[in-house]
Amino acid sequence: MTTKQKAEKLYKKVNTFILTCVGTDGYPLTKAVLPCKYRETINEMYFCTNTSSKFANEISKNPKSNVYFYSRILIWKGCMLKGKMEIVSDLTVKKKYWQNKFKNAYPEKSYTDPDFCVLRFIPEAGRFYSWYKPEDFDI
């Protein structure tokens, strides 16, 4: 199994994701998010947040970002991906990632709410960590 395949297997299992971007002040800005309801591949990852969030604002200015995910059970397994993130405006994509449990967080109670934001992350490279052994890989 390749390192990328190991990372993808972990990605499909875990529920803890940490997003980091570069703030306009030059410091990292980090937030924890839940995974979206569809996780196909690590080549293209999606996350939901609020358009009004500081994170979305910073991403609109500088797309360089990291995604880190790890297993809470297998505490010695994690993966950091570096790449670029963008805000998705396509309503078809927003509809795909909308979940009914979001209704209480948005006045319009729909994926059409202007504050519902979908982020698309395209990684360039990663570092998979398992049992004290890091493995770098390209996407």
Side-chain angles (χ1 to χ4, degrees), residues 3-35:
T3 305
K4 183 181 174 194
Q5 288 170 327
K6 289 187 249 181
E8 197 149 88
K9 183 177 176 183
L10 183 65
Y11 164 65
K12 291 178 179 179
K13 267 190 207 177
V14 300
N15 290 315
T16 305
F17 291 85
I18 310 296
L19 309 182
T20 302
C21 68
V22 180
T24 51
D25 61 1
Y27 287 91
L29 178 65
T30 302
K31 80 181 284 165
V33 294
L34 296 172

PDB file of all heavy atoms in Angstrom, residues 3-35:
ATOM      1  N   THR A   3       1.948   5.261   0.477  1.00  0.00           N
ATOM      2  CA  THR A   3       1.697   6.220   1.557  1.00  0.00           C
ATOM      3  C   THR A   3       0.420   6.999   1.288  1.00  0.00           C
ATOM      4  O   THR A   3      -0.382   7.228   2.192  1.00  0.00           O
ATOM      5  CB  THR A   3       2.898   7.175   1.705  1.00  0.00           C
ATOM      6  OG1 THR A   3       4.076   6.395   1.898  1.00  0.00           O
ATOM      7  CG2 THR A   3       2.712   8.105   2.880  1.00  0.00           C
ATOM      8  N   LYS A   4       0.203   7.399   0.046  1.00  0.00           N
ATOM      9  CA  LYS A   4      -1.020   8.128  -0.301  1.00  0.00           C
ATOM     10  C   LYS A   4      -2.254   7.265  -0.030  1.00  0.00           C
ATOM     11  O   LYS A   4      -3.255   7.757   0.482  1.00  0.00           O
ATOM     12  CB  LYS A   4      -0.997   8.557  -1.764  1.00  0.00           C
ATOM     13  CG  LYS A   4      -2.207   9.364  -2.154  1.00  0.00           C
ATOM     14  CD  LYS A   4      -2.185   9.767  -3.603  1.00  0.00           C
ATOM     15  CE  LYS A   4      -3.491  10.443  -3.959  1.00  0.00           C
ATOM     16  NZ  LYS A   4      -3.682  10.582  -5.378  1.00  0.00           N
ATOM     17  N   GLN A   5      -2.195   5.994  -0.332  1.00  0.00           N
ATOM     18  CA  GLN A   5      -3.322   5.095  -0.065  1.00  0.00           C
ATOM     19  C   GLN A   5      -3.581   4.969   1.436  1.00  0.00           C
ATOM     20  O   GLN A   5      -4.727   4.933   1.879  1.00  0.00           O
ATOM     21  CB  GLN A   5      -3.063   3.718  -0.687  1.00  0.00           C
ATOM     22  CG  GLN A   5      -3.165   3.713  -2.197  1.00  0.00           C
ATOM     23  CD  GLN A   5      -2.681   2.417  -2.822  1.00  0.00           C
ATOM     24  OE1 GLN A   5      -1.757   1.768  -2.321  1.00  0.00           O
ATOM     25  NE2 GLN A   5      -3.286   2.044  -3.940  1.00  0.00           N
ATOM     26  N   LYS A   6      -2.513   4.918   2.226  1.00  0.00           N
ATOM     27  CA  LYS A   6      -2.670   4.868   3.685  1.00  0.00           C
ATOM     28  C   LYS A   6      -3.340   6.152   4.194  1.00  0.00           C
ATOM     29  O   LYS A   6      -4.219   6.106   5.054  1.00  0.00           O
ATOM     30  CB  LYS A   6      -1.315   4.670   4.367  1.00  0.00           C
ATOM     31  CG  LYS A   6      -0.727   3.300   4.181  1.00  0.00           C
ATOM     32  CD  LYS A   6       0.526   3.147   5.029  1.00  0.00           C
ATOM     33  CE  LYS A   6       1.736   3.081   4.160  1.00  0.00           C
ATOM     34  NZ  LYS A   6       2.986   2.909   4.894  1.00  0.00           N
ATOM     35  N   ALA A   7      -2.915   7.285   3.640  1.00  0.00           N
ATOM     36  CA  ALA A   7      -3.502   8.567   4.040  1.00  0.00           C
ATOM     37  C   ALA A   7      -4.977   8.629   3.657  1.00  0.00           C
ATOM     38  O   ALA A   7      -5.808   9.095   4.436  1.00  0.00           O
ATOM     39  CB  ALA A   7      -2.735   9.716   3.386  1.00  0.00           C
ATOM     40  N   GLU A   8      -5.301   8.138   2.481  1.00  0.00           N
ATOM     41  CA  GLU A   8      -6.689   8.153   2.020  1.00  0.00           C
ATOM     42  C   GLU A   8      -7.565   7.233   2.874  1.00  0.00           C
ATOM     43  O   GLU A   8      -8.710   7.573   3.197  1.00  0.00           O
ATOM     44  CB  GLU A   8      -6.750   7.745   0.553  1.00  0.00           C
ATOM     45  CG  GLU A   8      -8.056   8.139  -0.080  1.00  0.00           C
ATOM     46  CD  GLU A   8      -7.874   8.436  -1.553  1.00  0.00           C
ATOM     47  OE1 GLU A   8      -7.966   7.496  -2.353  1.00  0.00           O
ATOM     48  OE2 GLU A   8      -7.607   9.606  -1.881  1.00  0.00           O
ATOM     49  N   LYS A   9      -7.044   6.108   3.264  1.00  0.00           N
ATOM     50  CA  LYS A   9      -7.784   5.185   4.136  1.00  0.00           C
ATOM     51  C   LYS A   9      -8.092   5.861   5.478  1.00  0.00           C
ATOM     52  O   LYS A   9      -9.213   5.776   5.988  1.00  0.00           O
ATOM     53  CB  LYS A   9      -6.961   3.908   4.338  1.00  0.00           C
ATOM     54  CG  LYS A   9      -7.648   2.852   5.146  1.00  0.00           C
ATOM     55  CD  LYS A   9      -6.783   1.602   5.236  1.00  0.00           C
ATOM     56  CE  LYS A   9      -7.428   0.564   6.130  1.00  0.00           C
ATOM     57  NZ  LYS A   9      -6.586  -0.618   6.296  1.00  0.00           N
ATOM     58  N   LEU A  10      -7.102   6.547   6.039  1.00  0.00           N
ATOM     59  CA  LEU A  10      -7.301   7.267   7.294  1.00  0.00           C
ATOM     60  C   LEU A  10      -8.318   8.394   7.111  1.00  0.00           C
ATOM     61  O   LEU A  10      -9.204   8.588   7.950  1.00  0.00           O
ATOM     62  CB  LEU A  10      -5.968   7.817   7.810  1.00  0.00           C
ATOM     63  CG  LEU A  10      -6.009   8.525   9.162  1.00  0.00           C
ATOM     64  CD1 LEU A  10      -6.388   7.553  10.276  1.00  0.00           C
ATOM     65  CD2 LEU A  10      -4.670   9.170   9.455  1.00  0.00           C
ATOM     66  N   TYR A  11      -8.219   9.130   6.013  1.00  0.00           N
ATOM     67  CA  TYR A  11      -9.129  10.240   5.710  1.00  0.00           C
ATOM     68  C   TYR A  11     -10.592   9.793   5.726  1.00  0.00           C
ATOM     69  O   TYR A  11     -11.469  10.495   6.216  1.00  0.00           O
ATOM     70  CB  TYR A  11      -8.753  10.830   4.351  1.00  0.00           C
ATOM     71  CG  TYR A  11      -9.782  11.719   3.708  1.00  0.00           C
ATOM     72  CD1 TYR A  11     -10.152  12.922   4.287  1.00  0.00           C
ATOM     73  CD2 TYR A  11     -10.381  11.366   2.507  1.00  0.00           C
ATOM     74  CE1 TYR A  11     -11.088  13.748   3.693  1.00  0.00           C
ATOM     75  CE2 TYR A  11     -11.318  12.184   1.905  1.00  0.00           C
ATOM     76  CZ  TYR A  11     -11.669  13.371   2.496  1.00  0.00           C
ATOM     77  OH  TYR A  11     -12.595  14.189   1.911  1.00  0.00           O
ATOM     78  N   LYS A  12     -10.855   8.622   5.189  1.00  0.00           N
ATOM     79  CA  LYS A  12     -12.230   8.136   5.104  1.00  0.00           C
ATOM     80  C   LYS A  12     -12.775   7.630   6.436  1.00  0.00           C
ATOM     81  O   LYS A  12     -13.972   7.471   6.592  1.00  0.00           O
ATOM     82  CB  LYS A  12     -12.331   7.052   4.035  1.00  0.00           C
ATOM     83  CG  LYS A  12     -12.137   7.619   2.637  1.00  0.00           C
ATOM     84  CD  LYS A  12     -12.190   6.563   1.571  1.00  0.00           C
ATOM     85  CE  LYS A  12     -12.011   7.201   0.200  1.00  0.00           C
ATOM     86  NZ  LYS A  12     -12.026   6.222  -0.878  1.00  0.00           N
ATOM     87  N   LYS A  13     -11.886   7.402   7.418  1.00  0.00           N
ATOM     88  CA  LYS A  13     -12.282   6.853   8.716  1.00  0.00           C
ATOM     89  C   LYS A  13     -12.505   7.890   9.800  1.00  0.00           C
ATOM     90  O   LYS A  13     -13.331   7.701  10.675  1.00  0.00           O
ATOM     91  CB  LYS A  13     -11.165   5.941   9.230  1.00  0.00           C
ATOM     92  CG  LYS A  13     -11.294   4.518   8.897  1.00  0.00           C
ATOM     93  CD  LYS A  13     -10.242   3.778   9.711  1.00  0.00           C
ATOM     94  CE  LYS A  13      -9.835   2.515   9.011  1.00  0.00           C
ATOM     95  NZ  LYS A  13      -8.792   1.813   9.716  1.00  0.00           N
ATOM     96  N   VAL A  14     -11.708   8.940   9.792  1.00  0.00           N
ATOM     97  CA  VAL A  14     -11.658   9.830  10.958  1.00  0.00           C
ATOM     98  C   VAL A  14     -12.686  10.954  10.902  1.00  0.00           C
ATOM     99  O   VAL A  14     -13.233  11.268   9.844  1.00  0.00           O
ATOM    100  CB  VAL A  14     -10.241  10.426  11.129  1.00  0.00           C
ATOM    101  CG1 VAL A  14      -9.224   9.319  11.320  1.00  0.00           C
ATOM    102  CG2 VAL A  14      -9.854  11.301   9.967  1.00  0.00           C
ATOM    103  N   ASN A  15     -12.929  11.559  12.055  1.00  0.00           N
ATOM    104  CA  ASN A  15     -13.896  12.650  12.149  1.00  0.00           C
ATOM    105  C   ASN A  15     -13.314  13.919  12.736  1.00  0.00           C
ATOM    106  O   ASN A  15     -14.053  14.821  13.107  1.00  0.00           O
ATOM    107  CB  ASN A  15     -15.104  12.204  12.973  1.00  0.00           C
ATOM    108  CG  ASN A  15     -15.922  11.186  12.228  1.00  0.00           C
ATOM    109  OD1 ASN A  15     -16.202  11.350  11.047  1.00  0.00           O
ATOM    110  ND2 ASN A  15     -16.286  10.110  12.887  1.00  0.00           N
ATOM    111  N   THR A  16     -12.008  13.988  12.848  1.00  0.00           N
ATOM    112  CA  THR A  16     -11.363  15.175  13.387  1.00  0.00           C
ATOM    113  C   THR A  16     -10.467  15.784  12.319  1.00  0.00           C
ATOM    114  O   THR A  16      -9.521  15.144  11.861  1.00  0.00           O
ATOM    115  CB  THR A  16     -10.526  14.816  14.631  1.00  0.00           C
ATOM    116  OG1 THR A  16     -11.372  14.157  15.580  1.00  0.00           O
ATOM    117  CG2 THR A  16      -9.926  16.057  15.258  1.00  0.00           C
ATOM    118  N   PHE A  17     -10.793  17.017  11.912  1.00  0.00           N
ATOM    119  CA  PHE A  17     -10.023  17.718  10.886  1.00  0.00           C
ATOM    120  C   PHE A  17      -9.660  19.107  11.392  1.00  0.00           C
ATOM    121  O   PHE A  17     -10.501  19.817  11.945  1.00  0.00           O
ATOM    122  CB  PHE A  17     -10.830  17.857   9.593  1.00  0.00           C
ATOM    123  CG  PHE A  17     -11.039  16.545   8.905  1.00  0.00           C
ATOM    124  CD1 PHE A  17     -12.084  15.711   9.266  1.00  0.00           C
ATOM    125  CD2 PHE A  17     -10.182  16.124   7.903  1.00  0.00           C
ATOM    126  CE1 PHE A  17     -12.268  14.492   8.645  1.00  0.00           C
ATOM    127  CE2 PHE A  17     -10.354  14.909   7.274  1.00  0.00           C
ATOM    128  CZ  PHE A  17     -11.403  14.084   7.646  1.00  0.00           C
ATOM    129  N   ILE A  18      -8.411  19.481  11.191  1.00  0.00           N
ATOM    130  CA  ILE A  18      -7.913  20.786  11.591  1.00  0.00           C
ATOM    131  C   ILE A  18      -7.479  21.510  10.314  1.00  0.00           C
ATOM    132  O   ILE A  18      -6.670  20.989   9.552  1.00  0.00           O
ATOM    133  CB  ILE A  18      -6.697  20.668  12.546  1.00  0.00           C
ATOM    134  CG1 ILE A  18      -6.989  19.710  13.710  1.00  0.00           C
ATOM    135  CG2 ILE A  18      -6.250  22.039  13.020  1.00  0.00           C
ATOM    136  CD1 ILE A  18      -8.072  20.137  14.647  1.00  0.00           C
ATOM    137  N   LEU A  19      -8.037  22.689  10.077  1.00  0.00           N
ATOM    138  CA  LEU A  19      -7.688  23.495   8.910  1.00  0.00           C
ATOM    139  C   LEU A  19      -6.815  24.659   9.371  1.00  0.00           C
ATOM    140  O   LEU A  19      -7.094  25.275  10.403  1.00  0.00           O
ATOM    141  CB  LEU A  19      -8.936  24.061   8.233  1.00  0.00           C
ATOM    142  CG  LEU A  19     -10.062  23.095   7.887  1.00  0.00           C
ATOM    143  CD1 LEU A  19     -11.180  23.842   7.172  1.00  0.00           C
ATOM    144  CD2 LEU A  19      -9.566  21.937   7.051  1.00  0.00           C
ATOM    145  N   THR A  20      -5.797  24.966   8.603  1.00  0.00           N
ATOM    146  CA  THR A  20      -4.924  26.097   8.911  1.00  0.00           C
ATOM    147  C   THR A  20      -4.683  26.899   7.651  1.00  0.00           C
ATOM    148  O   THR A  20      -4.474  26.330   6.576  1.00  0.00           O
ATOM    149  CB  THR A  20      -3.569  25.620   9.480  1.00  0.00           C
ATOM    150  OG1 THR A  20      -3.809  24.835  10.645  1.00  0.00           O
ATOM    151  CG2 THR A  20      -2.675  26.788   9.847  1.00  0.00           C
ATOM    152  N   CYS A  21      -4.739  28.209   7.784  1.00  0.00           N
ATOM    153  CA  CYS A  21      -4.410  29.099   6.667  1.00  0.00           C
ATOM    154  C   CYS A  21      -3.446  30.169   7.187  1.00  0.00           C
ATOM    155  O   CYS A  21      -3.158  30.241   8.377  1.00  0.00           O
ATOM    156  CB  CYS A  21      -5.662  29.725   6.062  1.00  0.00           C
ATOM    157  SG  CYS A  21      -6.525  30.893   7.130  1.00  0.00           S
ATOM    158  N   VAL A  22      -2.975  30.983   6.271  1.00  0.00           N
ATOM    159  CA  VAL A  22      -2.074  32.080   6.627  1.00  0.00           C
ATOM    160  C   VAL A  22      -2.924  33.347   6.756  1.00  0.00           C
ATOM    161  O   VAL A  22      -3.558  33.770   5.790  1.00  0.00           O
ATOM    162  CB  VAL A  22      -0.985  32.278   5.551  1.00  0.00           C
ATOM    163  CG1 VAL A  22      -0.054  33.422   5.935  1.00  0.00           C
ATOM    164  CG2 VAL A  22      -0.217  30.997   5.326  1.00  0.00           C
ATOM    165  N   GLY A  23      -2.926  33.934   7.935  1.00  0.00           N
ATOM    166  CA  GLY A  23      -3.693  35.154   8.147  1.00  0.00           C
ATOM    167  C   GLY A  23      -3.010  36.360   7.519  1.00  0.00           C
ATOM    168  O   GLY A  23      -1.812  36.329   7.224  1.00  0.00           O
ATOM    169  N   THR A  24      -3.752  37.413   7.309  1.00  0.00           N
ATOM    170  CA  THR A  24      -3.177  38.630   6.728  1.00  0.00           C
ATOM    171  C   THR A  24      -2.110  39.242   7.627  1.00  0.00           C
ATOM    172  O   THR A  24      -1.267  39.995   7.159  1.00  0.00           O
ATOM    173  CB  THR A  24      -4.274  39.678   6.439  1.00  0.00           C
ATOM    174  OG1 THR A  24      -5.064  39.854   7.604  1.00  0.00           O
ATOM    175  CG2 THR A  24      -5.149  39.239   5.283  1.00  0.00           C
ATOM    176  N   ASP A  25      -2.127  38.872   8.923  1.00  0.00           N
ATOM    177  CA  ASP A  25      -1.090  39.362   9.838  1.00  0.00           C
ATOM    178  C   ASP A  25       0.174  38.501   9.781  1.00  0.00           C
ATOM    179  O   ASP A  25       1.131  38.735  10.495  1.00  0.00           O
ATOM    180  CB  ASP A  25      -1.624  39.432  11.270  1.00  0.00           C
ATOM    181  CG  ASP A  25      -2.062  38.086  11.823  1.00  0.00           C
ATOM    182  OD1 ASP A  25      -1.949  37.060  11.113  1.00  0.00           O
ATOM    183  OD2 ASP A  25      -2.530  38.053  12.976  1.00  0.00           O
ATOM    184  N   GLY A  26       0.167  37.456   8.912  1.00  0.00           N
ATOM    185  CA  GLY A  26       1.326  36.593   8.748  1.00  0.00           C
ATOM    186  C   GLY A  26       1.354  35.397   9.688  1.00  0.00           C
ATOM    187  O   GLY A  26       2.228  34.540   9.577  1.00  0.00           O
ATOM    188  N   TYR A  27       0.416  35.340  10.623  1.00  0.00           N
ATOM    189  CA  TYR A  27       0.362  34.230  11.569  1.00  0.00           C
ATOM    190  C   TYR A  27      -0.637  33.179  11.097  1.00  0.00           C
ATOM    191  O   TYR A  27      -1.616  33.496  10.417  1.00  0.00           O
ATOM    192  CB  TYR A  27      -0.065  34.729  12.955  1.00  0.00           C
ATOM    193  CG  TYR A  27       1.020  35.498  13.654  1.00  0.00           C
ATOM    194  CD1 TYR A  27       1.119  36.873  13.511  1.00  0.00           C
ATOM    195  CD2 TYR A  27       1.955  34.842  14.446  1.00  0.00           C
ATOM    196  CE1 TYR A  27       2.120  37.586  14.150  1.00  0.00           C
ATOM    197  CE2 TYR A  27       2.960  35.546  15.092  1.00  0.00           C
ATOM    198  CZ  TYR A  27       3.038  36.916  14.935  1.00  0.00           C
ATOM    199  OH  TYR A  27       4.033  37.617  15.569  1.00  0.00           O
ATOM    200  N   PRO A  28      -0.422  31.917  11.514  1.00  0.00           N
ATOM    201  CA  PRO A  28      -1.382  30.874  11.147  1.00  0.00           C
ATOM    202  C   PRO A  28      -2.726  31.094  11.829  1.00  0.00           C
ATOM    203  O   PRO A  28      -2.792  31.610  12.947  1.00  0.00           O
ATOM    204  CB  PRO A  28      -0.744  29.588  11.679  1.00  0.00           C
ATOM    205  CG  PRO A  28       0.662  29.925  12.009  1.00  0.00           C
ATOM    206  CD  PRO A  28       0.719  31.400  12.241  1.00  0.00           C
ATOM    207  N   LEU A  29      -3.781  30.724  11.138  1.00  0.00           N
ATOM    208  CA  LEU A  29      -5.138  30.750  11.683  1.00  0.00           C
ATOM    209  C   LEU A  29      -5.650  29.321  11.552  1.00  0.00           C
ATOM    210  O   LEU A  29      -5.639  28.753  10.459  1.00  0.00           O
ATOM    211  CB  LEU A  29      -6.026  31.722  10.901  1.00  0.00           C
ATOM    212  CG  LEU A  29      -7.471  31.811  11.338  1.00  0.00           C
ATOM    213  CD1 LEU A  29      -7.561  32.393  12.751  1.00  0.00           C
ATOM    214  CD2 LEU A  29      -8.261  32.674  10.384  1.00  0.00           C
ATOM    215  N   THR A  30      -6.057  28.746  12.667  1.00  0.00           N
ATOM    216  CA  THR A  30      -6.429  27.328  12.703  1.00  0.00           C
ATOM    217  C   THR A  30      -7.839  27.168  13.222  1.00  0.00           C
ATOM    218  O   THR A  30      -8.267  27.902  14.110  1.00  0.00           O
ATOM    219  CB  THR A  30      -5.451  26.562  13.620  1.00  0.00           C
ATOM    220  OG1 THR A  30      -4.129  26.739  13.111  1.00  0.00           O
ATOM    221  CG2 THR A  30      -5.766  25.090  13.679  1.00  0.00           C
ATOM    222  N   LYS A  31      -8.564  26.201  12.651  1.00  0.00           N
ATOM    223  CA  LYS A  31      -9.902  25.886  13.141  1.00  0.00           C
ATOM    224  C   LYS A  31     -10.171  24.407  12.974  1.00  0.00           C
ATOM    225  O   LYS A  31      -9.674  23.784  12.037  1.00  0.00           O
ATOM    226  CB  LYS A  31     -10.963  26.739  12.467  1.00  0.00           C
ATOM    227  CG  LYS A  31     -11.403  26.304  11.091  1.00  0.00           C
ATOM    228  CD  LYS A  31     -12.438  27.216  10.464  1.00  0.00           C
ATOM    229  CE  LYS A  31     -13.790  27.022  11.046  1.00  0.00           C
ATOM    230  NZ  LYS A  31     -14.758  28.016  10.787  1.00  0.00           N
ATOM    231  N   ALA A  32     -10.948  23.860  13.877  1.00  0.00           N
ATOM    232  CA  ALA A  32     -11.382  22.469  13.786  1.00  0.00           C
ATOM    233  C   ALA A  32     -12.719  22.435  13.054  1.00  0.00           C
ATOM    234  O   ALA A  32     -13.559  23.320  13.249  1.00  0.00           O
ATOM    235  CB  ALA A  32     -11.530  21.876  15.180  1.00  0.00           C
ATOM    236  N   VAL A  33     -12.888  21.457  12.197  1.00  0.00           N
ATOM    237  CA  VAL A  33     -14.148  21.295  11.464  1.00  0.00           C
ATOM    238  C   VAL A  33     -14.529  19.820  11.427  1.00  0.00           C
ATOM    239  O   VAL A  33     -13.685  18.940  11.587  1.00  0.00           O
ATOM    240  CB  VAL A  33     -14.065  21.833  10.014  1.00  0.00           C
ATOM    241  CG1 VAL A  33     -13.877  23.328   9.985  1.00  0.00           C
ATOM    242  CG2 VAL A  33     -12.988  21.128   9.227  1.00  0.00           C
ATOM    243  N   LEU A  34     -15.805  19.593  11.194  1.00  0.00           N
ATOM    244  CA  LEU A  34     -16.289  18.237  10.973  1.00  0.00           C
ATOM    245  C   LEU A  34     -16.137  17.911   9.492  1.00  0.00           C
ATOM    246  O   LEU A  34     -16.165  18.809   8.649  1.00  0.00           O
ATOM    247  CB  LEU A  34     -17.760  18.135  11.377  1.00  0.00           C
ATOM    248  CG  LEU A  34     -18.051  18.377  12.848  1.00  0.00           C
ATOM    249  CD1 LEU A  34     -19.555  18.454  13.086  1.00  0.00           C
ATOM    250  CD2 LEU A  34     -17.433  17.295  13.710  1.00  0.00           C
ATOM    251  N   PRO A  35     -16.015  16.644   9.161  1.00  0.00           N
ATOM    252  CA  PRO A  35     -15.908  16.293   7.742  1.00  0.00           C
ATOM    253  C   PRO A  35     -17.236  16.499   7.032  1.00  0.00           C
ATOM    254  O   PRO A  35     -18.295  16.461   7.654  1.00  0.00           O
ATOM    255  CB  PRO A  35     -15.537  14.814   7.780  1.00  0.00           C
ATOM    256  CG  PRO A  35     -16.096  14.319   9.070  1.00  0.00           C
ATOM    257  CD  PRO A  35     -15.977  15.464  10.025  1.00  0.00           C
TER     258      PRO A  35
END
